[in-house]
Each structure stands twice: as C-alpha cells, then as structure tokens.
C-alpha cells in the first residue's frame, strides 16, 4: 500500500490545500491529511474543529483519511506506515523553509521522502492567514474556501468578538 501523509495546520483548510489534497490523493493508495496540534500557535479553530472541517471538505475523496497529531511529521508518518510526506509549494518564499524541513526530516528518517506539489496558479497567493485577515475585516472569502467554511469562519470571528 502506497501511503502518504499531508501535514499542516489547516486553520482552516482553503481551496489551495484542497487542490493539493485531491492531486496527491491521485498519486497514492491512501492519503492521510494530518492536522497538527501545535501548542505554540493560537489557532482560530480547535484541532477537533479543523479535523471535522477537513472530513466534510474531503467527503468525496474515498482514499483520504483525516487525523490529528502532535509532534514531528516524520514520527507521525512512521506511525502511519507512510513512505511519503506531501507538501505544497506556492512561491519561492515557501521553498527555503520547505527545503530545510524536508532535509531535516530526511536526516531523522531516511525511509520517508517528501513529495512537493506546486500550487495550481489560481491558488498561488492563497493562505489560511490571508483568509482569516480578510474575513476579520468583513471581506468576501467565498473564492478562497468552500461555502460551509465561509459560514464557520464568520461565526467563529463573530463569537470571538462577543466573548
Ligand atoms: P503549515 O503551518 O505547516 O505551513 P499550512 O496549513 O499553512 O501548514 O500548510 C500546509 C501545507 O500546505 C504546506 O506545505 C503549505 O505550503 C501548503 N499550502 C498552503 N496553502 C497552499 C496553496 N494555496 N497552494 C499550495 N500549497 C499550499
């Protein structure tokens, strides 16, 4: 079984992530989308919420599984018995960081390779933080995330403001 792990914060998932998910799912038997539980960041959505959003957004993709993890991606890949870690590259700015990460991972576990997919051009500018920033000013985010995620983001921002 050819299995890959696609780790990230996915706070929340965007059309850019979904593009990488559907394209990499075509390359392997099973893709595990792995939501990082990062105690150093304060996310908009809890890890459980991010997992549920991804479950719904990937409903139509039968060989995609969604899990959460904490710690190192290579350790999680090993736990899942995955040979590949998938990462998306948007611009040269991603490249520096991603190359360093891939090389470090390779030193930690030489049995896991990083597979890079370049972004589809229409999503090259897109990041979860941009989506949150635009939404916080009431901007239109319907081109960036699926409709049900648009509602969840606005509800969450509204709830945070009224806390
Ligand atoms: P992280 O906090 O690990 O960067 P993200 O959720 O921001 O997690 O991203 C996970 C992965 O998806 C990273 O490899 C990132 O480069 C990639 N990615 C994010 N947005 C896009 C996009 N619009 N197009 C292609 N890849 C993307």
């Amino acid at each position: 079984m050819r299995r890959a792990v696609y780790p990230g914060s996915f706070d929340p998932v965007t059309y850019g992530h979904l593009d990488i998910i559907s394209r990499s799912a075509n390359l392997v038997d099973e893709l595990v989308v792995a939501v990082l539980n990062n105690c150093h960041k304060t996310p908009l959505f809890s890890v459980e919420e991010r997992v549920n959003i991804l479950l719904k957004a990937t409903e139509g993709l039968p060989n995609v599984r969604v899990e959460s993890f904490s710690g190192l991606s290579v350790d999680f890949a090993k736990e899942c018995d995955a040979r590949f870690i998938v990462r998306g590259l948007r611009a040269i700015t991603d490249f520096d960081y991603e190359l360093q990460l891939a090389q470090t991972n390779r030193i930690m576990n030489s049995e896991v390779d990083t597979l890079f997919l370049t972004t589809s051009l229409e999503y090259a500018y897109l990041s979860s933080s941009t989506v949150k920033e635009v939404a916080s000013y009431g901007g239109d985010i319907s081109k960036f995330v699926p409709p049900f995620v648009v509602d969840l983001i606005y509800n969450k921002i509204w709830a945070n403001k009224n806390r």
Side-chain angles (χ1 to χ4, degrees):
M1 156 98 59
R2 194 185 285 257
R3 186 178 287 118
V5 165
Y6 178 30
S9 308
F10 305 107
D11 185 39
V13 69
T14 67
Y15 281 135
H17 295 125
L18 289 170
D19 174 57
I20 298 289
I21 290 173
S22 60
R23 285 162 60 206
S24 55
N26 278 334
L27 301 173
V28 292
D29 299 309
E30 184 175 59
L31 179 72
V32 183
V33 180
V35 181
L36 177 64
N37 196 355
N38 185 346
C39 54
H40 301 300
K41 280 188 188 171
T42 311
L44 182 63
F45 292 101
S46 71
V47 73
E48 293 78 17
E49 288 171 325
R50 282 178 274 152
V51 166
N52 286 332
I53 293 171
L54 271 158
L55 279 171
K56 189 163 177 185
T58 59
E59 252 168 15
L61 301 169
N63 66 333
V64 173
R65 211 169 85 199
V66 183
E67 306 269 352
S68 64
F69 78 109
S70 37
L72 298 170
S73 304
V74 267
D75 291 342
F76 186 69
K78 194 173 170 193
E79 226 175 88
C80 295
D81 201 17
R83 274 274 293 115
F84 306 102
I85 289 177
V86 171
R87 298 288 288 176
L89 285 178
R90 280 162 294 193
I92 197 78
T93 40
D94 277 342
F95 183 78
D96 237 15
Y97 170 71
E98 293 291 344
L99 183 68
Q100 199 178 13
L101 199 65
Q103 285 170 338
T104 311
N105 284 341
R106 187 123 180 89
I107 286 168
M108 288 191 288
N109 187 343
S110 60
E111 284 167 17
V112 178
D113 264 310
T114 303
L115 254 179
F116 289 112
L117 292 189
T118 50
T119 177
S120 295
L121 268 183
E122 65 262 48
Y123 305 126
Y125 63 91
L126 190 52
S127 71
S128 300
S129 32
T130 309
V131 174
K132 288 181 278 189
E133 177 92 6
V134 172
S136 73
Y137 293 107
D140 178 7
I141 52 171
S142 61
K143 287 199 174 72
F144 310 148
V145 296
F148 81 95
V149 184
V150 172
D151 294 341
L152 289 172
I153 293 172
Y154 281 125
N155 288 345
K156 180 66 89 174
I157 288 174
W158 187 82
N160 285 350
K161 271 188 190 149
N162 291 292
R163 243 196 337 218

